[in-house]
Amino acid sequence: MLLLALDTATPAVTVALHDGTSVIASSSQVDARRHGELLLPAVDRVLAEADLKLDAVTGIVVGVGPGPYTGLRVGLMTADTFGLVLGVPVHGLCTLDGLAYAADGAGVEGPFVVATDARRKEVYWARYDDPRTRVSEPAVDRPAEIAEAVAGLPAVGAGALLYPDTFPDAREPGHVSAAALASLAAERLAAGEELAAPRPLYLRRPDAQVPKNYKVVTPK
């Protein structure tokens, strides 16, 4: 097994390689405006670090969000293209699940919340019983609207760090890492689990939309 994992659902552009036993190379850069520019060089970098070629990859793992439309589609389109060119399966994982899995290494064990920045003064969030068990569907809400639902729970993710009134026990990690996604995927695949299809979790419409009352002008 050689999994290439990547995620662009948050400001982090993150890539990792996993050989079925451990992460053998990884790269993460935080830049919300340069997903398309940074992703492919990061793939080249982790392959070079592992002294491997792209055709050695046996599977692709991609974070499916939730996340903003523009950044998220960069990772999904790249993953689909790699899968098509290499003829290997492409597996989707919830980006929040990757953050939850990484929380184990940060000492978060019991019930907790993962919250990422959804912009518009909102967060993408979900509740977890432990780093491997999500107990609510991903949602997007204003922090004040979910304060009662998350009260008393530790929280990880950049969204939690942004809103201390709602998440007073906010902890690192702030952004997802492809290393955590790859490790979670390898663990689930080894257990015989079937991973989700690489379909995006947008949870809301994109910011860019056709204006109302837009008139189509066609040549005569």
Side-chain angles (χ1 to χ4, degrees), residues 113 115 123 142-155 159-160 162-170:
V113 178
V123 293
R142 290 184 177 272
E145 296 171 345
I146 61 172
E148 185 175 343
V150 303
L153 296 175
L162 280 172
Y163 301 101
D165 289 346
T166 299
F167 306 101
D169 189 7

Side-chain angles (χ1 to χ4, degrees), residues 54-73:
L54 184 61
D55 59 10
V57 170
T58 62
I60 311 293
V61 178
V62 61
V64 299
Y69 178 81
T70 302
L72 182 54
R73 67 177 179 174

Side-chain angles (χ1 to χ4, degrees), residues 60-156:
I60 311 293
V61 178
V62 61
V64 299
Y69 178 81
T70 302
L72 182 54
R73 67 177 179 174
V74 171
L76 286 164
M77 292 290 290
T78 301
D80 280 343
T81 300
F82 282 158
L84 180 64
V85 170
L86 298 173
V88 300
V90 181
H91 308 288
L93 276 180
C94 176
T95 297
L96 302 181
D97 290 355
L99 263 165
Y101 189 84
D104 194 12
V108 182
E109 298 177 354
F112 65 97
V113 178
V114 173
T116 60
D117 182 15
R119 305 175 187 173
R120 304 184 192 174
K121 298 182 180 180
E122 295 178 329
V123 293
Y124 297 116
W125 70 285
R127 289 184 52 152
Y128 292 78
D129 269 350
D130 59 60
R132 293 170 175 79
T133 309
R134 176 159 42 88
V135 294
S136 72
E137 290 299 315
V140 58
D141 291 288
R142 290 184 177 272
E145 296 171 345
I146 61 172
E148 185 175 343
V150 303
L153 296 175
V156 300

